[in-house]
Coordinates of all heavy atoms in Angstrom, one line a residue:
N1 N 66.3 -112.3 78.2 CA 67.1 -111.4 79.0 C 66.5 -111.0 80.3 O 67.1 -110.2 81.0 CB 67.5 -110.2 78.1 CG 68.3 -110.6 76.9 OD1 69.1 -111.5 76.9 ND2 68.0 -109.9 75.8
G2 N 65.4 -111.6 80.6 CA 64.7 -111.2 81.9 C 63.9 -110.0 81.8 O 63.4 -109.5 82.9
K3 N 63.7 -109.4 80.7 CA 63.0 -108.1 80.6 C 61.5 -108.4 80.4 O 61.1 -109.4 79.7 CB 63.5 -107.2 79.5 CG 64.9 -106.7 79.8 CD 65.4 -105.7 78.8 CE 66.8 -105.1 79.1 NZ 67.2 -104.1 78.2
P4 N 60.6 -107.5 80.9 CA 59.2 -107.7 80.7 C 58.7 -107.9 79.3 O 59.3 -107.2 78.4 CB 58.5 -106.5 81.4 CG 59.6 -106.1 82.4 CD 60.9 -106.3 81.7
F5 N 57.8 -108.7 79.0 CA 57.2 -109.0 77.7 C 55.7 -109.2 77.8 O 55.3 -110.2 78.4 CB 57.9 -110.2 77.1 CG 57.7 -110.5 75.7 CD1 57.3 -109.5 74.8 CD2 57.8 -111.8 75.1 CE1 57.1 -109.7 73.4 CE2 57.6 -112.1 73.8 CZ 57.3 -111.0 72.9
I6 N 54.9 -108.2 77.4 CA 53.5 -108.1 77.8 C 52.7 -107.8 76.6 O 53.1 -107.0 75.7 CB 53.4 -106.9 78.9 CG1 54.2 -107.2 80.1 CG2 51.9 -106.8 79.3 CD1 54.5 -105.9 80.9
A7 N 51.5 -108.4 76.6 CA 50.6 -108.2 75.5 C 49.2 -108.6 75.9 O 49.0 -109.4 76.8 CB 51.0 -108.9 74.2
N8 N 48.2 -108.1 75.2 CA 46.8 -108.5 75.4 C 46.3 -109.4 74.2 O 46.9 -109.4 73.1 CB 45.9 -107.3 75.4 CG 45.7 -106.6 74.0 OD1 46.7 -106.0 73.6 ND2 44.6 -106.7 73.4
S9 N 45.3 -110.2 74.5 CA 44.6 -111.0 73.4 C 43.2 -111.3 74.0 O 43.1 -111.8 75.1 CB 45.4 -112.3 73.1 OG 45.6 -113.0 74.2
N10 N 42.2 -110.9 73.2 CA 40.9 -111.0 73.9 C 39.7 -111.1 72.9 O 38.6 -110.7 73.2 CB 40.7 -109.7 74.7 CG 41.1 -108.4 74.1 OD1 42.1 -107.8 74.5 ND2 40.3 -108.0 73.1
Q11 N 40.0 -111.7 71.7 CA 38.8 -111.9 70.8 C 37.9 -112.9 71.5 O 38.2 -113.9 72.0 CB 39.3 -112.5 69.4 CG 38.1 -112.6 68.5 CD 38.5 -113.2 67.1 OE1 39.6 -113.7 67.0 NE2 37.6 -113.2 66.2
G12 N 36.6 -112.6 71.3 CA 35.5 -113.4 71.9 C 35.3 -113.0 73.4 O 34.2 -112.6 73.7
D13 N 36.3 -113.1 74.2 CA 36.1 -112.6 75.6 C 35.8 -111.2 75.7 O 35.1 -110.7 76.6 CB 37.3 -113.0 76.4 CG 37.4 -114.5 76.7 OD1 36.4 -115.1 77.0 OD2 38.5 -115.1 76.6
G14 N 36.4 -110.4 74.9 CA 36.1 -109.0 74.8 C 37.2 -108.0 75.3 O 37.9 -108.3 76.2
A15 N 37.3 -106.9 74.6 CA 38.2 -105.9 74.9 C 38.0 -105.3 76.3 O 38.9 -104.8 77.0 CB 38.2 -104.7 73.9
S16 N 36.7 -105.3 76.8 CA 36.4 -104.8 78.1 C 37.0 -105.6 79.2 O 36.8 -105.2 80.4 CB 34.9 -104.7 78.3 OG 34.3 -106.0 78.1
M17 N 37.8 -106.6 78.9 CA 38.6 -107.3 79.9 C 39.6 -106.4 80.5 O 40.1 -106.5 81.6 CB 39.2 -108.5 79.4 CG 38.3 -109.6 78.9 SD 39.2 -111.1 78.5 CE 39.5 -111.8 80.1
W18 N 40.1 -105.4 79.7 CA 41.2 -104.5 80.1 C 41.0 -103.0 79.8 O 41.7 -102.2 80.3 CB 42.5 -105.0 79.5 CG 42.7 -104.9 78.0 CD1 42.2 -105.7 77.1 CD2 43.4 -103.8 77.3 NE1 42.6 -105.3 75.8 CE2 43.3 -104.1 76.0 CE3 44.1 -102.7 77.7 CZ2 43.9 -103.3 75.0 CZ3 44.7 -101.9 76.8 CH2 44.6 -102.2 75.4
W19 N 40.0 -102.7 79.1 CA 39.6 -101.2 78.9 C 38.2 -101.1 78.7 O 37.5 -101.9 78.1 CB 40.5 -100.6 77.8 CG 40.3 -101.1 76.4 CD1 40.8 -102.3 75.9 CD2 39.7 -100.5 75.3 NE1 40.5 -102.5 74.6 CE2 39.8 -101.4 74.2 CE3 38.9 -99.3 75.2 CZ2 39.3 -101.1 73.0 CZ3 38.4 -99.0 73.9 CH2 38.6 -99.9 72.8
P20 N 37.6 -100.0 79.2 CA 36.1 -99.8 79.1 C 35.7 -99.3 77.7 O 36.4 -98.4 77.2 CB 35.9 -98.7 80.2 CG 37.2 -97.9 80.3 CD 38.3 -98.9 80.0
C21 N 34.7 -99.9 77.2 CA 34.3 -99.5 75.8 C 32.9 -100.0 75.5 O 32.2 -100.6 76.4 CB 35.3 -100.2 74.8 SG 35.4 -102.0 75.0
K22 N 32.5 -99.7 74.3 CA 31.2 -100.3 73.8 C 31.6 -101.6 73.2 O 32.0 -101.7 72.0 CB 30.6 -99.3 72.7 CG 29.2 -99.7 72.2 CD 28.8 -98.7 71.2 CE 27.3 -98.8 70.9 NZ 26.8 -97.8 69.9
D23 N 31.5 -102.6 74.0 CA 32.1 -103.9 73.6 C 31.1 -104.8 72.8 O 30.7 -105.9 73.3 CB 32.6 -104.6 74.9 CG 33.7 -105.6 74.6 OD1 34.1 -105.8 73.4 OD2 34.2 -106.2 75.5
H24 N 30.8 -104.3 71.7 CA 30.0 -105.1 70.7 C 30.6 -104.8 69.3 O 30.9 -103.7 69.0 CB 28.5 -104.8 70.8 CG 27.7 -105.8 70.1 ND1 27.6 -105.9 68.7 CD2 26.8 -106.7 70.6 CE1 26.7 -106.8 68.4 NE2 26.2 -107.3 69.5
M25 N 30.6 -105.9 68.5 CA 31.3 -105.7 67.2 C 30.6 -104.9 66.2 O 31.1 -104.5 65.2 CB 31.6 -107.1 66.7 CG 32.6 -107.9 67.5 SD 34.2 -107.3 67.5 CE 34.7 -107.8 65.8
Y26 N 29.3 -104.7 66.4 CA 28.5 -104.0 65.3 C 28.9 -102.5 65.1 O 28.7 -102.0 64.1 CB 27.0 -104.1 65.7 CG 26.5 -102.9 66.5 CD1 25.8 -101.9 65.9 CD2 26.6 -102.9 67.9 CE1 25.3 -100.8 66.7 CE2 26.2 -101.9 68.7 CZ 25.5 -100.8 68.1 OH 25.0 -99.8 68.8
D27 N 29.5 -101.9 66.1 CA 29.9 -100.5 66.1 C 31.4 -100.3 66.3 O 31.9 -100.9 67.2 CB 29.1 -99.8 67.2 CG 29.1 -98.3 66.9 OD1 29.5 -97.8 65.8 OD2 28.6 -97.5 67.8
E28 N 32.0 -99.5 65.4 CA 33.4 -99.3 65.5 C 33.6 -97.8 65.5 O 32.9 -97.0 64.8 CB 34.2 -99.9 64.3 CG 34.1 -101.4 64.2 CD 34.8 -101.9 63.0 OE1 35.3 -101.1 62.2 OE2 34.9 -103.2 62.9
P29 N 34.7 -97.3 66.2 CA 35.0 -95.9 66.1 C 35.6 -95.6 64.7 O 36.2 -96.4 64.1 CB 36.0 -95.7 67.2 CG 36.7 -97.0 67.4 CD 35.6 -98.0 67.1
D30 N 35.4 -94.4 64.3 CA 36.0 -94.0 63.0 C 37.5 -93.9 63.0 O 38.2 -94.0 62.1 CB 35.4 -92.7 62.5 CG 33.9 -92.8 62.4 OD1 33.4 -93.8 61.9 OD2 33.2 -91.8 62.7
S31 N 38.0 -93.5 64.2 CA 39.4 -93.4 64.5 C 39.7 -93.6 65.9 O 38.8 -93.6 66.8 CB 40.0 -92.0 64.0 OG 39.3 -91.0 64.7
M32 N 41.0 -93.7 66.3 CA 41.3 -94.0 67.7 C 42.8 -93.6 68.0 O 43.7 -93.8 67.2 CB 41.1 -95.5 68.0 CG 41.4 -95.8 69.5 SD 41.0 -97.6 69.8 CE 41.3 -97.6 71.6
L33 N 42.9 -93.0 69.2 CA 44.3 -92.6 69.7 C 44.5 -93.5 70.9 O 43.7 -93.6 71.8 CB 44.3 -91.2 70.1 CG 45.6 -90.7 70.7 CD1 46.8 -90.8 69.8 CD2 45.5 -89.2 71.2
M34 N 45.7 -94.1 71.0 CA 46.1 -94.9 72.1 C 47.4 -94.3 72.7 O 48.4 -94.2 72.0 CB 46.4 -96.4 71.7 CG 45.1 -97.2 71.4 SD 45.4 -98.4 70.1 CE 45.5 -97.4 68.6
S35 N 47.3 -93.9 74.0 CA 48.4 -93.4 74.7 C 48.8 -94.4 75.8 O 48.0 -94.5 76.7 CB 48.1 -92.0 75.3 OG 47.7 -91.1 74.3
V36 N 49.9 -95.0 75.7 CA 50.3 -96.1 76.6 C 51.6 -95.7 77.3 O 52.6 -95.5 76.7 CB 50.4 -97.4 75.8 CG1 50.7 -98.6 76.8 CG2 49.2 -97.7 75.0
N37 N 51.5 -95.7 78.7 CA 52.6 -95.4 79.5 C 53.3 -96.6 80.0 O 52.6 -97.5 80.6 CB 52.1 -94.5 80.7 CG 53.2 -94.1 81.6 OD1 53.4 -94.7 82.7 ND2 54.0 -93.1 81.2

């Protein structure tokens, strides 16, 4: 219908392609809030 259709995919290349983080798999946050405008 011509409407935007957007998503990320970044395994291997890293989440830090689009958001700043501790970009190594050994450490994970216990929880997370995502606010997306």
